[in-house]
Amino acid sequence: MLHELWRAPYVDLDHYLGRWYEIFRKPSGPDDSRLRDVSVEYSQGSDGRLDLVSSLAQGPFGNQTFHGTAEILDGANSRWEISYSNMPHGIPFLVGDVYIIKVDVDYRTAMMGDPKRRGLTLLHRTPVLDPAEITQWLRIAVAQGFDTSDLVWPIHSGR
């Protein structure tokens, strides 16, 4: 039985908003390893939810963009219900009940995951993160019960 997943004690949404690049994630489909330039942009929606614009490049299919929303489910802003209206199965973005497990004090790196440990993603403000920092975040994921042996590491082309 898994212990309760950590959640950040408080997430300042003003600092969290903006563009994030995916450093790694749990796979969600058979073609995950071919996805490149995976990013998500968060902005404040007019209805109180967050608006998400997620994008990626997928081999011969070119660039794809998906629009979603995140409803904040707690006063700490660390538990979200994420949904996408136009996303086909197997695209890597987290959906459903998602926790912000940890965000660093500068809001440069954040880890998100689902309480069943099927989905996990490490986000960073730039497409590259120092390997020593990645190791620290991997330790957090393992301590929270995530299997990190199958992670996908998207390539960022610098676009």
Side-chain angles (χ1 to χ4, degrees), residues 27-113:
S28 59
D31 293 330
D32 264 11
S33 62
R34 296 182 359 181
L35 303 180
R36 305 170 62 94
D37 300 315
V38 180
S39 67
V40 60
E41 177 123 11
Y42 299 96
S43 60
Q44 188 64 57
S46 60
D47 60 359
R49 294 184 291 181
L50 300 180
D51 291 330
L52 287 65
V53 177
S54 299
S55 61
L56 56 87
Q58 185 179 23
F61 302 110
N63 296 333
Q64 297 182 33
T65 302
F66 304 96
H67 298 271
T69 59
E71 182 177 349
I72 309 300
L73 301 178
D74 68 350
N77 301 324
S78 60
R79 183 174 173 223
W80 300 0
E81 179 70 29
I82 296 178
S83 62
Y84 286 87
S85 60
N86 66 335
M87 187 173 68
H89 177 71
I91 297 298
F93 305 108
L94 290 173
V95 295
D97 194 13
V98 175
Y99 293 2
I100 298 177
I101 299 167
K102 181 174 175 58
V103 61
D104 69 355
V105 296
D106 297 325
Y107 284 77
R108 291 181 52 248
T109 310
M111 181 177 285
M112 300 177 80

Side-chain angles (χ1 to χ4, degrees), residues 14 27 50 60 70 89 96 112-113 125 130 132 148:
D14 289 335
L50 300 180
H89 177 71
M112 300 177 80
R125 294 294 187 176
D130 180 86
T148 60

